[in-house]
Amino acid sequence: HSTRPYQHVIEPLYAYLMIAAKQYEDSAYSGNYNVGPDEADCVTTGSLVSLFCEKWGNISWENKFVGGPHEANFLKLDCSKLKNTFGWKPRWNIDKALEKTVEWAKVYLENGNIGKIMDKQINEFLKNK
């Protein structure tokens, strides 16, 4: 039931590489930056699992939560420094992130060409600049 800032792994990887390159070029960019999704893509774990099942097709899940230790209900990262400094914004929303995660997982489970699917997804991500 807790809301978390989910995003595809390629988002922070790209952002951190961009930040490192800018910091290398100009020390004025030194400092720390948060990388996270837009607030609309902060969803409950249950919603994330349901969307994953929908993208996978023909699978479902059952919530068997019966309590547990206290956990914050809503977590979100403040990415305003990154957005203001570099004009950065996430490229893939939660729907696209789950679509690409399922696409990769199916190739992996079928012992397919992981390098090929990773290259395809990276190229798709970079085309959306």
Side-chain angles (χ1 to χ4, degrees), residues 71-108:
E71 190 174 349
N73 287 330
F74 185 82
L75 294 179
K76 180 182 176 260
L77 293 168
D78 178 3
C79 303
S80 58
K81 181 179 176 184
L82 179 63
K83 289 177 178 184
N84 293 332
T85 303
F86 300 109
W88 176 87
K89 63 182 181 180
R91 296 183 189 180
W92 286 354
N93 64 18
I94 192 72
D95 190 67
K96 179 65 82 172
L98 264 287
E99 174 188 317
K100 296 303 176 183
T101 300
V102 166
E103 179 183 52
W104 183 93
K106 286 184 173 185
V107 170
Y108 175 80

Side-chain angles (χ1 to χ4, degrees), residues 10-102:
I10 201 167
E11 293 279 4
L13 287 175
Y14 177 82
Y16 290 134
L17 289 171
M18 178 207 55
I19 293 165
K22 296 287 188 182
Q23 289 175 336
Y24 177 78
E25 293 168 2
D26 186 343
S27 64
Y29 294 114
S30 66
N32 302 313
Y33 298 85
N34 286 328
V35 180
D38 286 331
E39 190 167 326
D41 293 316
C42 295
V43 299
T44 66
T45 302
S47 296
L48 180 78
V49 175
S50 293
L51 183 58
F52 181 88
C53 290
E54 176 188 317
K55 298 289 182 190
W56 192 276
N58 204 30
I59 63 171
S60 62
W61 72 285
E62 182 181 343
N63 183 357
K64 294 191 175 194
F65 178 76
V66 292
H70 171 73
E71 190 174 349
N73 287 330
F74 185 82
L75 294 179
K76 180 182 176 260
L77 293 168
D78 178 3
C79 303
S80 58
K81 181 179 176 184
L82 179 63
K83 289 177 178 184
N84 293 332
T85 303
F86 300 109
W88 176 87
K89 63 182 181 180
R91 296 183 189 180
W92 286 354
N93 64 18
I94 192 72
D95 190 67
K96 179 65 82 172
L98 264 287
E99 174 188 317
K100 296 303 176 183
T101 300
V102 166

